[in-house]
Amino acid sequence: MVAMICLEDLSKRYGQFVALDGLNLEVRPGETLALLGPNGAGKSTAIKALVGLLRPSRGRALVGGVDVWKEPVRAKAQFGYVPDRPYLYGKLSGLELLRFAAGVYRLPRARAEARIEELLVQFRLERFASSLIETYSHGMRQKLSLAMSLLHTPQALILDEPMVGLDPHATRLVKDLLREYSKDGRAVLYATHQLHLAEQVADRVALVHRGRLLALGSPRELLHQHGSADLEEFFLRLTEDASESETTLV
């Protein structure tokens, strides 16, 4: 099966600092994959390289078999992206921003209006659709970013810390989205610090530490292999062991 999202030998250096060190990772059609790792592990760097925001020093990032850096427009048409901190133009209303994004994706007008209405209702933003984005709370901006990423029903959904600032209803909505969106042959990749979220909704988990892939598998497989009671214990054990090994080598 051809991967929907593929990172091949992805590396990123800043002088002597190595943010990514030959990361290889695939997300298959029909799969939700959680990207875990401590602060500075390389999760956000990998995602930014994947979505075309940060050029890698080496390696390739592909979506639907299309190289993001060689064919950026074609590749970006296939995914939706939600950053951890949505920076949205405050002088537009939520409705105006969604219509603008629909135009970027070249959605037919009737289809775009129907989809926008559907998403505004889904994310409980219909009452605020005509309000300027500068009046939105952080959680509302996050929901608007999610709605914008789903406008064109992309084959891949890529999210960086999607739960930040969400109220309980929106949190439940995003959990369901992460769990269900991949079921029709699409793919979901999301980075998170919330281990319980990965345990609840991910088909597979990738643990990244200091720019390298440390472990990959379903939550059940990883817990069984490493004799851990939950993902928190697994996470702490592997990252601490890896750090100790590197210290010993030095």
Side-chain angles (χ1 to χ4, degrees):
M1 183 182 293
V2 178
M4 183 63 67
I5 297 171
C6 184
L7 306 180
E8 296 181 354
D9 193 31
L10 203 64
S11 300
K12 180 62 180 179
R13 299 180 68 96
Y14 298 95
Q16 296 300 312
F17 177 72
V18 180
L20 288 176
D21 189 9
L23 182 62
N24 290 285
L25 191 63
E26 292 185 349
V27 187
R28 309 158 185 154
E31 179 178 52
T32 295
L33 189 144
L35 192 61
L36 305 179
N39 291 333
K43 303 186 303 297
S44 291
T45 300
I47 285 181
K48 287 177 181 177
L50 173 61
V51 300
L53 292 176
L54 185 66
R55 185 176 291 276
S57 305
R58 188 179 73 242
R60 298 198 303 166
L62 303 98
V63 179
V66 182
D67 191 310
V68 174
W69 288 96
K70 289 185 177 179
E71 299 181 78
V73 174
R74 186 175 162 218
K76 291 175 184 179
Q78 300 191 63
F79 67 79
Y81 166 59
V82 181
D84 57 340
R85 297 178 183 176
Y87 294 101
L88 307 176
Y89 186 59
K91 298 301 181 183
L92 291 178
S93 69
L95 180 58
E96 288 170 335
L97 182 65
L98 290 173
R99 284 175 172 166
F100 172 78
V104 172
Y105 288 122
R106 299 181 181 178
L107 297 181
R109 185 176 181 84
R111 178 186 164 197
E113 290 299 312
R115 183 66 171 149
I116 287 170
E117 182 178 354
E118 176 188 350
L119 289 167
L120 286 172
V121 171
Q122 181 180 353
F123 288 99
R124 294 190 175 184
L125 290 170
E126 67 272 26
R127 287 175 45 231
F128 311 98
S130 298
S131 301
L132 294 182
I133 294 169
E134 66 184 8
T135 68
Y136 282 21
S137 68
H138 176 83
M140 291 168 65
R141 293 182 187 213
Q142 192 78 352
K143 290 193 288 185
L144 184 61
S145 293
L146 281 160
M148 191 161 54
S149 74
L150 294 167
L151 265 176
H152 57 309
T153 317
Q155 287 300 300
L157 191 58
I158 302 164
L159 309 99
D160 194 357
E161 294 291 350
M163 296 298 194
V164 176
L166 296 183
D167 59 34
H169 173 269
T171 297
R172 178 62 180 270
L173 186 67
V174 174
K175 279 185 181 181
D176 291 343
L177 177 68
L178 294 174
R179 185 185 296 112
E180 300 297 331
Y181 191 75
S182 61
K183 299 307 179 188
D184 294 328
R186 297 186 286 258
V188 176
L189 171 66
Y190 68 97
T192 183
H193 283 108
Q194 299 183 28
L195 301 180
H196 66 278
L197 176 64
E199 205 157 3
Q200 290 172 1
V201 306
D203 298 305
R204 287 194 303 157
V205 168
L207 177 57
V208 177
H209 183 62
R210 297 188 180 178
R212 299 176 183 175
L213 184 63
L214 204 58
L216 178 65
S218 72
R220 179 176 294 182
E221 289 170 348
L222 294 177
L223 296 182
H224 177 72
Q225 289 171 10
H226 298 277
S228 301
D230 53 37
L231 277 183
E232 181 179 18
E233 182 183 332
F234 158 79
F235 177 93
L236 293 173
R237 179 181 297 177
L238 259 69
T239 53
E240 287 173 2
D241 287 349
S243 296
E244 288 174 6
S245 296
E246 290 174 4
T247 301
T248 302
L249 289 173
V250 172

